[in-house]
Amino acid sequence: MTNVDFIGAFVIGLVGAGHCIGMCGGVAAAMSLGIPKHKAKWPYLLLYNLGRITSYTIAGALIGGAVASILAMSDLTHQLAVLRLFAAVMMLLLAAYLAHIWNGLSYIERVGGKLWQRVSPLSSKLLPLKSPTYALPFGLLWGWLPCGLVYSALSWSAVAGSASGGAVIMFGFGLGTLPAMITVGALAERIKPILNNRLIRLACATLMALYGVYTAYGALKLLL
C-alpha cells in the first residue's frame, strides 16, 4: 500500500459525492430531521459518519488481511499484480458510472443485497435516535449498505497486501466521502445539482479513468 493508493481512495470518495448523497443522503437527512429542534445536529452527524467510516475501515482490514493470508504461500507479487489489474478495471467501470455511460455497478451492488437484508432491520430499531450515542451504531450498520462505489474502493483493499493496508485505504475512502455526507440535509440538496452537473461529472469520471489507467499500467509492468 502506498500513499498514492491512499490519495486515490480519498479521491474516489470525494468525486463520488453525488452517489453518496443518492445512496445514503436520504437516510442521513431523515435521521437529521428526526433530531429534536432544541438539540444540535452536529454530534449526531459526526458520530453517524464516524460509525460509517469505521465500518468501511473494518471491511478494508478484513479483505486486505484475508487476501494477503490466502496469497502468503504463493507468488505474492504476481498475484497482487493480477488483483491490482482487477482494481483498475473496477475504477474504469466506476468512471463509466460517474459519466452516466454505463450503470453496470448497480449489478455489482446486488451482491451485498442479502447481507443488507439482515442488517437493515437492526438499523430501523435505532430510530428515532434518542441521543448522539445512538448515531454511532446506526452509522456502523449503514456502512454495510450495498454500494458499487464502496465495492470499487474495496477492490483496492484486496491488493493492499495486509490488513492494515486495506484498512488505511478504506479509511482514506471514508474521509473522501465525509464532505458530502457531513453536509446532508438542506445544504446537501443545494450542492447535489452542482455534483450532478454534466461537466463536473465528466471531469470526475475522466480523473477516475486516468487513475484506473495508471493503476493498470503499474500492474502490467509487474506482470510482463
Side-chain angles (χ1 to χ4, degrees):
M1 199 280 293
T2 65
N3 290 333
V4 175
D5 290 327
F6 176 83
I7 295 171
F10 177 83
V11 171
I12 285 181
L14 198 62
V15 302
H19 183 73
C20 290
I21 292 175
M23 290 292 288
C24 300
V27 176
M31 177 194 74
S32 180
L33 290 172
I35 299 171
K37 293 183 178 180
H38 65 279
K39 291 187 177 180
K41 294 183 178 181
W42 290 109
Y44 290 84
L45 290 173
L46 286 173
L47 286 174
Y48 164 76
N49 282 288
L50 176 61
R52 186 176 56 82
I53 294 173
T54 299
S55 288
Y56 295 160
T57 305
I58 291 172
L62 290 174
I63 290 182
V67 172
S69 297
I70 293 171
L71 301 180
M73 302 303 293
S74 63
D75 182 1
L76 188 63
T77 300
H78 182 273
Q79 300 296 340
L80 284 178
V82 172
L83 288 174
R84 196 169 183 82
L85 189 59
F86 171 75
V89 172
M90 288 292 291
M91 277 181 267
L92 293 173
L93 292 179
L94 178 59
Y97 172 82
L98 292 174
H100 288 191
I101 295 174
W102 187 61
N103 197 29
L105 282 182
S106 61
Y107 298 105
I108 299 176
E109 289 172 355
R110 295 176 186 175
V111 174
K114 292 185 178 180
L115 173 63
W116 180 241
Q117 288 175 2
R118 296 176 179 272
V119 174
S120 180
L122 297 175
S123 64
S124 63
K125 293 180 181 180
L126 294 171
L127 294 175
L129 302 179
K130 297 178 182 179
S131 70
T133 54
Y134 281 76
L136 181 61
F138 185 73
L140 281 168
L141 292 171
W142 272 90
W144 300 98
L145 176 72
C147 173
L149 186 68
V150 175
Y151 295 161
S152 296
L154 280 173
S155 69
W156 262 354
S157 295
V159 302
S162 67
S164 60
V168 169
I169 285 176
M170 289 308 294
F171 178 69
F173 167 78
L175 288 181
T177 66
L178 195 56
M181 293 304 299
I182 207 69
T183 56
V184 148
L187 185 55
E189 288 304 312
R190 292 177 187 174
I191 67 173
K192 191 173 181 179
I194 299 174
L195 295 172
N196 286 330
N197 179 274
R198 184 172 179 273
L199 291 178
I200 292 178
R201 255 196 353 259
L202 289 175
C204 292
T206 300
L207 180 64
M208 193 57 56
L210 289 173
Y211 201 84
V213 171
Y214 166 80
T215 302
Y217 174 73
L220 288 173
K221 280 180 63 179
L222 293 174
L223 290 171
L224 300 177

